Amino acid sequence: MFGPAPLQRLSLPEEFTLLSYGENGRVPNSAQTAAGCAAAELGELALRRRLLVRPRKTRKLGLEIYQLRGEIELGPNATSTGLTWADDLLSALHTRTAILAPRPLTVTRWLRERGREALALHTAALTGRGALRHTPGTLLTRTRHHPDPVLRTALLNGVRTVRAEQVPLDEHMLFLCDLLDGAGLTKDFGLTLTRPQRLERARGTGAAGALPETLRDTSTVLGFSLPGREGRTITIGD
């Protein structure tokens, strides 16, 4: 039998990775997908209250202006997350932060360092759980990972119902939608928001208004920190 049950709970990086693989078994851009997977890992830790991303913001004419240069701030909660990869990641982040001190560890720096490892890790995990079907490459073809169609459709339907405001926007879906927007995947799915709309949501207007500002900031910066598919990045600073 191919694939897990449709309602099987996946972590944020697993969801992002699964939705990144198309029906052809490939991702649109490997570097961007790798960065997105690493950003989703940070998002999962933020949802579990283990870290935040602090943006640089200024106020002009009563409006907040995002510079989108995010700095990773680790929280005091040292208890286990229940996920081996997440606990290992927290340990690595503490080590990397100590090495850089007193300079902060920025999101863009971390995504460059972690991206390919994150993508390989979660691709392997999804393959092992049956959510991706691995097709080995040959001399003429590349390795493919085909997503379970039932699970992929269930995830997409969840995003669509949130975008249509048929269900409330919660913290988890805020992060997933921002990451999919940043990678251009929602555009592929016909569910994109404009850049001004995304910034309005970050400021707490509309459906995101009830969510904590620190989480909105973290989600916004992670989504905007992903490189473009042609290698162009819209992140300001390092």
Side-chain angles (χ1 to χ4, degrees):
M1 181 178 179
F2 173 51
L7 297 181
Q8 178 177 336
R9 177 68 173 89
L10 301 178
S11 67
L12 190 63
E14 288 174 334
E15 289 180 341
F16 178 84
T17 302
L18 183 69
L19 291 177
S20 294
Y21 281 102
E23 295 179 356
N24 63 357
R26 300 176 63 180
V27 298
N29 179 285
S30 59
Q32 183 195 57
T33 304
C37 191
E41 289 184 329
L42 297 179
E44 183 71 34
L45 292 178
L47 290 170
R48 293 172 182 266
R49 304 308 195 259
R50 297 308 195 276
L51 60 78
L52 292 171
V53 174
R54 299 291 185 184
R56 291 192 174 185
K57 296 191 295 185
T58 58
R59 296 191 69 85
K60 185 175 183 180
L61 300 177
L63 297 176
E64 289 182 334
I65 308 299
Y66 280 72
Q67 292 184 313
L68 304 178
R69 182 184 184 275
E71 299 174 356
I72 298 173
E73 179 180 306
L74 299 175
N77 190 346
T79 60
S80 173
T81 64
L83 296 173
T84 300
W85 70 260
D87 292 339
D88 291 344
L89 180 61
L90 274 175
S91 178
L93 284 167
H94 278 287
T95 299
R96 194 71 182 90
T97 300
I99 292 175
L100 284 176
R103 295 179 58 195
L105 175 59
T106 63
V107 170
T108 49
R109 177 188 290 272
W110 180 252
L111 298 190
R112 288 197 300 268
E113 295 179 4
R114 173 69 179 176
R116 295 194 179 280
E117 181 180 354
L119 179 58
L121 172 69
H122 296 289
T123 295
L126 288 169
T127 302
R129 295 167 66 180
L132 290 175
R133 176 170 52 85
H134 174 241
T135 303
T138 67
L139 290 176
L140 300 177
T141 62
R142 295 184 178 181
T143 298
R144 304 292 179 103
H145 292 88
H146 299 272
D148 174 84
V150 176
L151 181 53
R152 189 172 186 268
T153 298
L155 285 174
L156 280 176
N157 286 341
V159 174
R160 288 192 176 98
T161 56
V162 168
R163 284 292 170 89
E165 298 184 352
Q166 296 174 358
V167 297
L169 175 69
D170 62 16
E171 296 174 358
H172 181 93
M173 289 303 294
L174 172 69
F175 277 77
L176 180 59
C177 288
D178 279 347
L179 289 166
L180 295 176
D181 279 326
L185 289 170
T186 43
K187 182 178 180 181
D188 295 343
F189 303 143
L191 298 168
T192 190
L193 292 178
T194 65
R195 183 183 175 96
Q197 285 175 322
R198 291 170 66 191
L199 288 173
E200 286 175 4
R201 185 169 65 190
R203 297 183 182 110
T205 59
L211 303 181
E213 180 181 6
T214 52
L215 287 182
R216 296 199 312 267
D217 286 346
T218 298
S219 184
T220 297
V221 174
L222 290 178
F224 276 126
S225 294
L226 304 190
R229 291 186 183 178
E230 292 76 32
R232 178 183 59 84
T233 178
I234 59 174
T235 304
I236 299 175
D238 177 21

Coordinates of all heavy atoms in Angstrom, one line a residue, residues 11-103:
S11 N 5.1 17.3 10.5 CA 5.7 18.5 11.0 C 5.7 19.6 9.9 O 5.5 19.3 8.7 CB 7.1 18.3 11.5 OG 7.9 18.0 10.4
L12 N 5.9 20.8 10.2 CA 5.9 21.9 9.2 C 6.9 21.7 8.1 O 6.6 21.8 6.9 CB 6.2 23.2 9.9 CG 6.0 24.5 9.1 CD1 4.6 24.6 8.6 CD2 6.4 25.7 9.9
P13 N 8.2 21.3 8.4 CA 9.1 21.0 7.3 C 8.7 19.8 6.5 O 9.0 19.8 5.2 CB 10.5 20.8 8.0 CG 10.1 20.5 9.4 CD 8.9 21.2 9.7
E14 N 8.1 18.8 7.1 CA 7.6 17.7 6.3 C 6.5 18.1 5.3 O 6.4 17.7 4.2 CB 7.1 16.6 7.2 CG 8.2 15.9 7.9 CD 7.7 14.9 8.9 OE1 6.6 15.1 9.5 OE2 8.5 13.9 9.2
E15 N 5.6 19.0 5.8 CA 4.5 19.5 4.9 C 5.0 20.3 3.8 O 4.6 20.2 2.6 CB 3.5 20.3 5.8 CG 2.7 19.5 6.7 CD 1.7 20.4 7.5 OE1 1.9 21.6 7.6 OE2 0.7 19.8 8.1
F16 N 6.0 21.2 4.1 CA 6.6 22.0 3.1 C 7.3 21.2 2.0 O 7.2 21.4 0.8 CB 7.5 23.0 3.7 CG 8.2 23.9 2.6 CD1 7.6 25.0 2.1 CD2 9.5 23.6 2.1 CE1 8.2 25.8 1.2 CE2 10.1 24.3 1.2 CZ 9.5 25.5 0.7
T17 N 8.0 20.2 2.5 CA 8.8 19.3 1.6 C 7.8 18.5 0.7 O 8.0 18.4 -0.5 CB 9.7 18.3 2.4 OG1 10.6 19.1 3.2 CG2 10.5 17.4 1.5
L18 N 6.8 18.0 1.3 CA 5.8 17.2 0.5 C 5.2 18.0 -0.6 O 5.0 17.6 -1.7 CB 4.8 16.6 1.5 CG 3.8 15.7 0.8 CD1 4.4 14.4 0.4 CD2 2.6 15.4 1.7
L19 N 4.8 19.2 -0.2 CA 4.1 20.1 -1.2 C 5.1 20.6 -2.2 O 4.7 21.1 -3.3 CB 3.4 21.2 -0.5 CG 2.2 20.8 0.3 CD1 1.6 22.0 1.1 CD2 1.1 20.2 -0.5
S20 N 6.4 20.6 -1.9 CA 7.4 21.1 -2.9 C 7.6 20.1 -4.0 O 7.9 20.5 -5.2 CB 8.7 21.4 -2.2 OG 8.6 22.4 -1.3
Y21 N 7.4 18.9 -3.8 CA 7.6 17.9 -4.8 C 6.4 17.8 -5.7 O 5.2 17.6 -5.2 CB 7.9 16.5 -4.2 CG 9.3 16.3 -3.8 CD1 9.6 16.4 -2.4 CD2 10.3 16.0 -4.7 CE1 10.9 16.2 -2.0 CE2 11.6 15.9 -4.3 CZ 11.9 16.0 -2.9 OH 13.3 15.8 -2.5
G22 N 6.6 18.0 -7.0 CA 5.5 17.9 -7.9 C 5.1 16.5 -8.3 O 5.7 15.5 -7.9
E23 N 4.1 16.4 -9.1 CA 3.6 15.1 -9.6 C 4.7 14.4 -10.4 O 4.7 13.1 -10.5 CB 2.4 15.2 -10.4 CG 1.2 15.7 -9.6 CD -0.1 15.8 -10.4 OE1 0.0 15.6 -11.6 OE2 -1.1 16.1 -9.8
N24 N 5.7 15.2 -10.9 CA 6.8 14.6 -11.7 C 7.9 14.1 -10.8 O 8.9 13.6 -11.3 CB 7.3 15.6 -12.7 CG 7.9 16.8 -12.1 OD1 7.9 17.0 -10.9 ND2 8.4 17.7 -12.9
G25 N 7.8 14.3 -9.5 CA 8.8 13.8 -8.6 C 9.9 14.7 -8.4 O 10.9 14.3 -7.7
R26 N 9.8 15.9 -8.9 CA 10.9 16.9 -8.7 C 10.4 18.2 -8.1 O 9.2 18.4 -8.0 CB 11.5 17.2 -10.1 CG 12.1 16.0 -10.8 CD 12.5 16.3 -12.2 NE 13.6 17.3 -12.2 CZ 14.3 17.7 -13.3 NH1 13.8 17.3 -14.5 NH2 15.2 18.6 -13.2
V27 N 11.4 19.0 -7.6 CA 11.0 20.3 -7.0 C 11.3 21.4 -8.0 O 12.2 21.2 -8.9 CB 11.8 20.5 -5.7 CG1 11.5 19.5 -4.6 CG2 13.3 20.6 -5.9
P28 N 10.7 22.5 -8.0 CA 10.9 23.6 -9.0 C 12.3 24.1 -9.0 O 12.9 24.4 -10.0 CB 9.9 24.7 -8.5 CG 8.9 24.0 -7.7 CD 9.6 22.9 -7.0
N29 N 12.9 24.2 -7.8 CA 14.3 24.7 -7.7 C 14.9 24.2 -6.4 O 14.4 24.4 -5.3 CB 14.3 26.3 -7.6 CG 15.7 26.8 -7.5 OD1 16.3 26.8 -6.4 ND2 16.3 27.4 -8.6
S30 N 16.0 23.4 -6.5 CA 16.5 22.7 -5.4 C 17.0 23.6 -4.3 O 16.9 23.3 -3.1 CB 17.6 21.7 -5.8 OG 18.7 22.3 -6.4
A31 N 17.7 24.7 -4.7 CA 18.3 25.6 -3.7 C 17.2 26.3 -2.9 O 17.3 26.5 -1.7 CB 19.2 26.6 -4.4
Q32 N 16.2 26.7 -3.6 CA 15.1 27.4 -3.0 C 14.3 26.4 -2.0 O 13.9 26.8 -0.9 CB 14.1 28.0 -4.0 CG 12.9 28.8 -3.3 CD 11.8 29.0 -4.3 OE1 11.3 28.1 -4.9 NE2 11.5 30.3 -4.5
T33 N 14.1 25.2 -2.5 CA 13.4 24.2 -1.7 C 14.2 23.9 -0.5 O 13.6 23.7 0.6 CB 13.1 23.0 -2.5 OG1 12.4 23.3 -3.7 CG2 12.3 22.0 -1.7
A34 N 15.5 23.8 -0.6 CA 16.3 23.5 0.6 C 16.2 24.6 1.6 O 16.1 24.3 2.8 CB 17.8 23.3 0.1
A35 N 16.3 25.8 1.1 CA 16.2 27.0 2.1 C 14.8 27.0 2.7 O 14.7 27.3 3.9 CB 16.4 28.3 1.3
G36 N 13.8 26.7 1.9 CA 12.4 26.7 2.5 C 12.3 25.6 3.5 O 11.6 25.8 4.5
C37 N 12.9 24.4 3.3 CA 12.8 23.3 4.3 C 13.5 23.7 5.6 O 13.0 23.5 6.7 CB 13.4 22.1 3.7 SG 13.1 20.6 4.7
A38 N 14.7 24.4 5.5 CA 15.4 24.9 6.7 C 14.5 25.9 7.4 O 14.5 26.0 8.6 CB 16.7 25.4 6.3
A39 N 13.9 26.8 6.6 CA 13.0 27.8 7.2 C 11.9 27.2 7.9 O 11.4 27.7 9.0 CB 12.6 28.8 6.2
A40 N 11.3 26.2 7.4 CA 10.2 25.5 8.0 C 10.6 24.8 9.3 O 9.8 24.7 10.2 CB 9.6 24.4 7.0
E41 N 11.8 24.3 9.4 CA 12.3 23.8 10.6 C 12.3 24.9 11.7 O 11.9 24.6 12.9 CB 13.7 23.3 10.5 CG 13.8 22.0 9.7 CD 15.3 21.5 9.6 OE1 16.2 22.3 9.6 OE2 15.4 20.2 9.5
L42 N 12.8 26.1 11.4 CA 12.7 27.2 12.3 C 11.3 27.5 12.7 O 11.0 27.8 13.9 CB 13.4 28.4 11.7 CG 14.9 28.3 11.4 CD1 15.4 29.6 10.8 CD2 15.7 27.9 12.7
G43 N 10.4 27.4 11.7 CA 9.0 27.7 12.0 C 8.4 26.7 13.0 O 7.7 27.0 13.9
E44 N 8.8 25.4 12.8 CA 8.3 24.4 13.8 C 8.8 24.7 15.2 O 8.0 24.5 16.1 CB 8.8 23.0 13.3 CG 8.3 21.8 14.1 CD 6.8 21.6 14.0 OE1 6.2 21.7 12.8 OE2 6.1 21.2 15.0
L45 N 10.0 25.1 15.3 CA 10.6 25.4 16.6 C 9.9 26.6 17.2 O 9.7 26.7 18.4 CB 12.1 25.6 16.5 CG 12.9 24.3 16.2 CD1 14.4 24.7 16.1 CD2 12.7 23.3 17.3
A46 N 9.5 27.6 16.3 CA 8.8 28.8 16.8 C 7.4 28.4 17.3 O 6.9 28.9 18.3 CB 8.7 29.8 15.7
L47 N 6.8 27.5 16.6 CA 5.4 27.0 17.0 C 5.5 26.3 18.3 O 4.5 26.3 19.1 CB 4.8 26.1 15.9 CG 4.4 26.8 14.6 CD1 4.1 25.7 13.6 CD2 3.2 27.7 14.8
R48 N 6.6 25.7 18.6 CA 6.8 24.9 19.8 C 7.4 25.8 20.9 O 7.8 25.3 22.0 CB 7.7 23.7 19.6 CG 7.0 22.7 18.8 CD 7.9 21.5 18.4 NE 7.2 20.6 17.5 CZ 6.6 19.5 17.9 NH1 6.6 19.2 19.2 NH2 5.9 18.6 17.1
R49 N 7.5 27.1 20.6 CA 8.0 28.2 21.6 C 9.4 27.9 22.0 O 9.8 28.2 23.1 CB 7.1 28.2 22.8 CG 5.6 28.4 22.6 CD 5.4 29.7 21.7 NE 4.0 30.1 21.7 CZ 3.1 29.9 20.7 NH1 3.4 29.1 19.7 NH2 1.9 30.4 20.8
R50 N 10.3 27.5 21.0 CA 11.7 27.3 21.3 C 12.5 28.4 20.8 O 13.7 28.5 21.2 CB 12.2 25.9 20.8 CG 11.5 24.7 21.4 CD 11.6 24.7 22.9 NE 11.3 23.4 23.4 CZ 10.0 22.9 23.7 NH1 9.0 23.7 23.3 NH2 9.9 21.7 24.2
L51 N 12.0 29.2 19.8 CA 12.8 30.3 19.3 C 11.8 31.3 18.6 O 10.6 31.0 18.4 CB 13.8 29.9 18.3 CG 13.4 29.1 17.0 CD1 12.8 30.1 15.9 CD2 14.6 28.4 16.4
L52 N 12.3 32.5 18.3 CA 11.6 33.5 17.6 C 12.6 34.1 16.6 O 13.8 34.0 16.7 CB 11.1 34.6 18.5 CG 10.0 34.2 19.4 CD1 9.7 35.4 20.4 CD2 8.7 33.9 18.7
V53 N 12.1 34.7 15.6 CA 12.9 35.5 14.6 C 12.6 37.0 14.8 O 11.4 37.3 14.7 CB 12.7 35.1 13.2 CG1 13.5 36.0 12.2 CG2 13.1 33.6 13.0
R54 N 13.5 37.7 15.2 CA 13.3 39.2 15.4 C 13.6 40.0 14.2 O 14.8 40.0 13.7 CB 14.2 39.7 16.6 CG 14.0 39.0 17.9 CD 12.6 39.4 18.5 NE 12.4 38.8 19.8 CZ 11.3 38.9 20.5 NH1 10.3 39.6 20.0 NH2 11.2 38.4 21.7
P55 N 12.7 40.6 13.6 CA 12.9 41.4 12.4 C 13.4 42.8 12.8 O 13.2 43.2 14.0 CB 11.6 41.5 11.7 CG 10.6 41.5 12.9 CD 11.2 40.6 13.9
R56 N 13.9 43.5 11.9 CA 14.2 44.9 12.1 C 13.0 45.7 11.5 O 12.8 45.7 10.4 CB 15.5 45.4 11.4 CG 16.7 44.7 12.1 CD 18.0 45.4 11.6 NE 19.2 44.9 12.3 CZ 20.4 45.4 12.1 NH1 20.6 46.3 11.3 NH2 21.4 44.9 12.8
K57 N 12.4 46.4 12.4 CA 11.2 47.2 12.0 C 11.3 48.7 12.5 O 11.9 48.9 13.5 CB 9.9 46.6 12.6 CG 9.6 45.2 12.2 CD 8.2 44.8 12.6 CE 8.1 44.7 14.1 NZ 6.7 44.2 14.5
T58 N 10.9 49.5 11.7 CA 10.8 51.0 12.0 C 9.4 51.4 11.8 O 8.6 50.8 11.1 CB 11.8 51.8 11.2 OG1 11.4 51.6 9.8 CG2 13.2 51.4 11.4
R59 N 9.0 52.6 12.4 CA 7.7 53.1 12.2 C 7.8 54.4 11.4 O 8.6 55.3 11.7 CB 7.0 53.4 13.5 CG 6.7 52.1 14.3 CD 5.8 52.4 15.5 NE 4.5 52.7 15.1 CZ 3.5 51.8 14.8 NH1 3.8 50.5 14.9 NH2 2.3 52.2 14.4
K60 N 6.9 54.6 10.4 CA 6.9 55.8 9.6 C 5.4 56.1 9.3 O 4.7 55.3 8.8 CB 7.7 55.6 8.3 CG 7.8 56.8 7.5 CD 8.6 56.6 6.2 CE 8.8 57.9 5.4 NZ 9.7 57.7 4.2
L61 N 5.0 57.3 9.7 CA 3.6 57.7 9.5 C 2.6 56.7 10.1 O 1.6 56.5 9.6 CB 3.3 57.9 8.0 CG 4.2 59.0 7.3 CD1 3.8 59.0 5.8 CD2 4.0 60.3 7.9
G62 N 3.1 56.2 11.3 CA 2.2 55.3 12.0 C 2.2 53.8 11.5 O 1.4 53.0 12.0
L63 N 3.0 53.5 10.5 CA 3.0 52.2 9.9 C 4.4 51.5 10.2 O 5.4 52.2 10.2 CB 2.8 52.3 8.4 CG 1.4 52.8 7.9 CD1 1.4 52.9 6.4 CD2 0.3 51.9 8.4
E64 N 4.3 50.2 10.4 CA 5.6 49.5 10.6 C 6.2 49.1 9.3 O 5.5 48.7 8.4 CB 5.3 48.2 11.4 CG 4.9 48.4 12.8 CD 4.7 47.1 13.6 OE1 4.4 46.1 12.9 OE2 4.9 47.1 14.8
I65 N 7.5 49.4 9.1 CA 8.2 49.1 7.9 C 9.2 48.0 8.2 O 10.0 48.1 9.1 CB 9.0 50.4 7.4 CG1 8.1 51.6 7.3 CG2 9.7 50.0 6.1 CD1 7.0 51.4 6.3
Y66 N 9.0 46.9 7.5 CA 9.8 45.7 7.7 C 11.1 45.8 6.8 O 11.0 46.0 5.6 CB 9.1 44.4 7.3 CG 8.1 43.9 8.4 CD1 7.0 44.6 8.6 CD2 8.4 42.7 9.0 CE1 6.1 44.1 9.6 CE2 7.5 42.2 10.0 CZ 6.4 42.9 10.3 OH 5.5 42.4 11.2
Q67 N 12.3 45.6 7.4 CA 13.5 45.5 6.7 C 13.8 44.1 6.3 O 14.6 43.8 5.5 CB 14.7 46.1 7.4 CG 14.6 47.6 7.6 CD 15.8 48.2 8.3 OE1 16.2 47.7 9.3 NE2 16.3 49.3 7.7
L68 N 13.1 43.1 7.0 CA 13.1 41.7 6.7 C 14.5 41.1 6.9 O 14.9 40.1 6.3 CB 12.7 41.5 5.2 CG 11.3 42.0 4.9 CD1 11.0 41.7 3.5 CD2 10.2 41.3 5.8
R69 N 15.3 41.7 7.8 CA 16.6 41.1 8.2 C 16.3 40.4 9.6 O 16.3 41.1 10.6 CB 17.6 42.2 8.3 CG 19.0 41.6 8.7 CD 20.0 42.7 8.9 NE 21.4 42.3 9.2 CZ 21.8 41.9 10.4 NH1 21.0 42.0 11.4 NH2 23.0 41.5 10.5
G70 N 16.1 39.1 9.5 CA 15.7 38.4 10.7 C 16.9 37.9 11.5 O 17.9 37.3 11.0
E71 N 16.8 38.0 12.8 CA 17.8 37.5 13.7 C 17.2 36.4 14.6 O 16.1 36.6 15.2 CB 18.4 38.6 14.6 CG 19.2 39.6 13.8 CD 19.6 40.8 14.7 OE1 19.3 40.8 15.9 OE2 20.3 41.7 14.1
I72 N 17.8 35.2 14.7 CA 17.3 34.1 15.5 C 17.5 34.3 16.9 O 18.7 34.5 17.4 CB 17.9 32.8 15.0 CG1 17.6 32.5 13.5 CG2 17.4 31.6 15.8 CD1 18.3 31.3 12.9
E73 N 16.5 34.2 17.7 CA 16.6 34.4 19.2 C 16.1 33.1 19.8 O 14.9 32.8 19.7 CB 15.7 35.6 19.6 CG 15.7 35.8 21.1 CD 14.9 37.0 21.5 OE1 15.1 38.1 20.9 OE2 14.0 36.8 22.4
L74 N 17.0 32.4 20.5 CA 16.6 31.1 21.1 C 15.9 31.4 22.5 O 16.3 32.3 23.2 CB 17.8 30.3 21.3 CG 18.6 29.9 20.0 CD1 19.8 29.1 20.4 CD2 17.7 29.0 19.2
G75 N 14.9 30.6 22.7 CA 14.1 30.8 24.0 C 14.7 30.0 25.1 O 15.6 29.2 25.0
P76 N 14.2 30.2 26.3 CA 14.8 29.6 27.5 C 14.3 28.2 27.7 O 14.8 27.4 28.6 CB 14.3 30.5 28.7 CG 13.0 31.1 28.2 CD 13.2 31.3 26.7
N77 N 13.3 27.7 27.0 CA 12.7 26.4 27.2 C 13.6 25.4 26.7 O 13.8 25.2 25.4 CB 11.3 26.3 26.5 CG 10.6 25.1 26.8 OD1 11.1 24.1 27.4 ND2 9.3 25.0 26.5
A78 N 14.2 24.6 27.6 CA 15.2 23.6 27.2 C 14.6 22.2 27.2 O 15.4 21.2 27.0 CB 16.4 23.7 28.1
T79 N 13.3 22.0 27.4 CA 12.8 20.7 27.4 C 12.7 20.1 26.0 O 12.7 20.8 25.0 CB 11.4 20.7 28.0 OG1 10.5 21.5 27.2 CG2 11.4 21.2 29.5
S80 N 12.6 18.8 26.0 CA 12.5 18.1 24.7 C 11.3 18.4 23.9 O 10.2 18.6 24.5 CB 12.6 16.6 24.9 OG 12.4 15.9 23.7
T81 N 11.4 18.5 22.6 CA 10.3 18.8 21.7 C 9.5 17.6 21.4 O 8.3 17.7 20.9 CB 10.7 19.4 20.4 OG1 11.5 18.5 19.7 CG2 11.5 20.7 20.6
G82 N 10.1 16.4 21.6 CA 9.4 15.2 21.3 C 9.8 14.7 19.8 O 9.4 13.7 19.4
L83 N 10.6 15.6 19.2 CA 11.1 15.3 17.8 C 12.6 15.2 17.8 O 13.2 16.2 18.2 CB 10.6 16.3 16.8 CG 9.1 16.4 16.5 CD1 8.8 17.6 15.6 CD2 8.6 15.2 15.9
T84 N 13.2 14.1 17.4 CA 14.6 13.9 17.5 C 15.3 15.0 16.7 O 16.3 15.6 17.1 CB 15.0 12.5 17.0 OG1 14.4 11.6 17.9 CG2 16.5 12.4 17.1
W85 N 14.8 15.2 15.4 CA 15.5 16.2 14.6 C 15.4 17.6 15.1 O 16.4 18.4 15.0 CB 14.9 16.1 13.2 CG 13.5 16.7 13.0 CD1 12.4 15.9 13.0 CD2 13.1 18.0 13.0 NE1 11.3 16.8 12.9 CE2 11.7 18.1 12.9 CE3 13.8 19.3 12.9 CZ2 11.0 19.3 12.8 CZ3 13.1 20.4 12.9 CH2 11.7 20.4 12.8
A86 N 14.3 17.9 15.8 CA 14.2 19.2 16.3 C 15.1 19.5 17.5 O 15.7 20.5 17.7 CB 12.7 19.5 16.7
D87 N 15.2 18.4 18.4 CA 16.1 18.6 19.5 C 17.6 18.7 19.0 O 18.4 19.5 19.6 CB 16.0 17.4 20.4 CG 14.6 17.3 21.2 OD1 14.0 18.4 21.3 OD2 14.2 16.2 21.6
D88 N 17.9 17.9 18.0 CA 19.3 18.0 17.4 C 19.5 19.4 16.8 O 20.6 19.9 16.9 CB 19.5 16.9 16.4 CG 19.5 15.5 17.0 OD1 19.7 15.4 18.2 OD2 19.4 14.5 16.2
L89 N 18.5 19.9 16.2 CA 18.6 21.2 15.6 C 18.8 22.3 16.6 O 19.6 23.2 16.4 CB 17.4 21.5 14.7 CG 17.3 22.8 14.0 CD1 18.5 22.9 13.0 CD2 16.0 23.0 13.3
L90 N 18.0 22.2 17.7 CA 18.2 23.2 18.8 C 19.6 23.2 19.3 O 20.2 24.2 19.6 CB 17.2 22.9 19.9 CG 15.8 23.5 19.8 CD1 14.9 23.0 20.9 CD2 15.9 25.0 19.8
S91 N 20.2 22.0 19.5 CA 21.5 21.9 20.0 C 22.5 22.5 19.0 O 23.4 23.3 19.4 CB 21.9 20.4 20.2 OG 23.2 20.3 20.6
A92 N 22.3 22.3 17.7 CA 23.2 22.9 16.7 C 23.0 24.4 16.7 O 24.0 25.2 16.5 CB 22.8 22.3 15.3
L93 N 21.8 24.9 16.9 CA 21.6 26.4 16.9 C 22.3 27.0 18.1 O 22.9 28.1 18.0 CB 20.1 26.7 16.9 CG 19.4 26.5 15.6 CD1 17.8 26.5 15.8 CD2 19.7 27.6 14.6
H94 N 22.2 26.4 19.2 CA 22.9 26.9 20.4 C 24.4 27.0 20.2 O 25.1 27.9 20.5 CB 22.6 26.0 21.6 CG 21.3 26.4 22.3 ND1 21.1 27.5 23.0 CD2 20.1 25.7 22.3 CE1 19.8 27.5 23.5 NE2 19.2 26.4 23.0
T95 N 24.9 25.9 19.6 CA 26.4 25.9 19.3 C 26.8 27.0 18.3 O 27.8 27.7 18.5 CB 26.8 24.5 18.7 OG1 26.5 23.5 19.7 CG2 28.3 24.5 18.4
R96 N 26.0 27.1 17.2 CA 26.3 28.1 16.2 C 26.1 29.5 16.8 O 26.9 30.4 16.5 CB 25.3 27.9 15.0 CG 25.7 28.7 13.8 CD 27.0 28.0 13.2 NE 27.4 28.8 12.0 CZ 28.3 29.7 12.0 NH1 28.9 30.1 13.2 NH2 28.7 30.4 10.9
T97 N 25.2 29.7 17.6 CA 25.0 31.1 18.2 C 26.1 31.4 19.1 O 26.6 32.5 19.2 CB 23.7 31.1 19.0 OG1 22.6 30.8 18.2 CG2 23.4 32.4 19.7
A98 N 26.6 30.4 19.9 CA 27.8 30.7 20.8 C 29.0 31.0 20.0 O 29.8 31.8 20.4 CB 28.0 29.4 21.7
I99 N 29.2 30.3 18.9 CA 30.4 30.6 18.0 C 30.4 32.0 17.5 O 31.4 32.7 17.4 CB 30.5 29.6 16.9 CG1 30.8 28.2 17.4 CG2 31.5 30.0 15.9 CD1 30.7 27.1 16.4
L100 N 29.2 32.5 17.1 CA 29.1 33.8 16.5 C 29.0 35.0 17.5 O 29.2 36.1 17.1 CB 27.8 33.9 15.6 CG 27.8 33.2 14.3 CD1 26.5 33.3 13.6 CD2 28.9 33.8 13.4
A101 N 28.7 34.6 18.8 CA 28.5 35.7 19.8 C 29.8 36.6 19.8 O 30.9 36.2 19.7 CB 28.3 35.0 21.1
P102 N 29.5 37.9 20.0 CA 28.2 38.6 20.3 C 27.4 38.9 19.0 O 26.3 39.5 19.2 CB 28.6 39.8 21.0 CG 29.9 40.2 20.4 CD 30.6 38.9 20.1
R103 N 27.8 38.6 17.9 CA 27.0 38.8 16.7 C 25.8 37.9 16.6 O 25.9 36.7 17.0 CB 27.9 38.7 15.4 CG 29.0 39.6 15.2 CD 29.7 39.3 14.0 NE 28.9 39.4 12.8 CZ 29.2 38.9 11.6 NH1 30.3 38.2 11.4 NH2 28.4 39.0 10.6

